[in-house]
Amino acid sequence: MLWIHPAMQVLATLIGIYAAYLGMKRFLSQHLSMRRQFLWNRHVALGAAAIVLWLAGLIGGFAVARIKWQVNFVTGDHYETALAMLPLLFFGGLSGLYMHRNKARRRVLPLLHGLCNVVLVGQALYQFKTGWQVIKDFVL
C-alpha cells in the first residue's frame, strides 16, 4: 500500500507534463502568432486527470503517513510543498473548468491558468526529490 502514493504521483506528473505541452501549443498560437494545432478536449481531459490525481495523492499521502507512522507533518519539504500546491491545484482546476464551460476570447485568465499549472508541474517534479528523501529516511 505504501507504494501506491508515489506511483500515482508519478503518473499524475507525467500526465501533467503532457497537458502542459498541449497548453504550450495554445500559448504559442495565441500569444506568439505561431500556427499550432491545439487539442482542446485532450488538454482539458488530461489536465483535469492530473489535477485530480495530484489532489488524491496529496490526501493519500497524508493518509499513508497517518496509517503507517501514526503522525503527519514530519516529512519536511515534502509535505510543505504538497500544502503549497493545494491552492494552485484549486485555481488551476477551477480556472480550466471555467474556461472550458464558458468559451470566449480571453488573454489574462489563460495566462494565469497556464502559469499556475506550469508552477504545479515544477512543484510536482520537486516532489520527486523530496519524496525520494522521505523513502530513504522512513521506508528503506
Side-chain angles (χ1 to χ4, degrees), residues 4 11 20 29-30 39 48 55 77 88-89 98 102 114 116 122 130 134:
I4 292 172
L11 177 63
S29 171
Q30 294 296 313
L39 303 173
L55 277 170
D77 286 348
L88 297 177
L89 288 166
Y98 177 79
N102 303 292
C116 171
T130 62
V134 168

Side-chain angles (χ1 to χ4, degrees), residues 62-76:
F62 284 120
V64 166
R66 176 62 64 178
I67 291 166
K68 184 73 175 164
W69 305 308
Q70 292 77 43
V71 67
N72 287 107
F73 310 117
V74 295
T75 58

Side-chain angles (χ1 to χ4, degrees), residues 77-127:
D77 286 348
H78 194 67
Y79 90 82
E80 290 171 1
T81 303
L83 289 178
M85 289 174 74
L86 191 57
L88 297 177
L89 288 166
F90 281 110
F91 179 77
L94 292 175
S95 63
L97 182 64
Y98 177 79
M99 288 188 292
H100 181 63
R101 289 191 176 166
N102 303 292
K103 292 179 177 62
R105 295 183 71 69
R106 298 181 178 90
R107 294 196 67 74
V108 176
L109 185 58
L111 287 172
L112 293 174
H113 170 79
L115 178 63
C116 171
N117 290 329
V118 166
V119 169
L120 276 172
V121 169
Q123 287 177 311
L125 291 171
Y126 179 66
Q127 287 292 70

Side-chain angles (χ1 to χ4, degrees), residues 27-42:
F27 173 81
L28 293 172
S29 171
Q30 294 296 313
H31 298 282
L32 301 180
S33 300
M34 300 172 81
R35 285 185 65 83
R36 298 286 188 269
Q37 180 184 12
F38 178 57
L39 303 173
W40 182 288
N41 288 326
R42 184 177 297 177

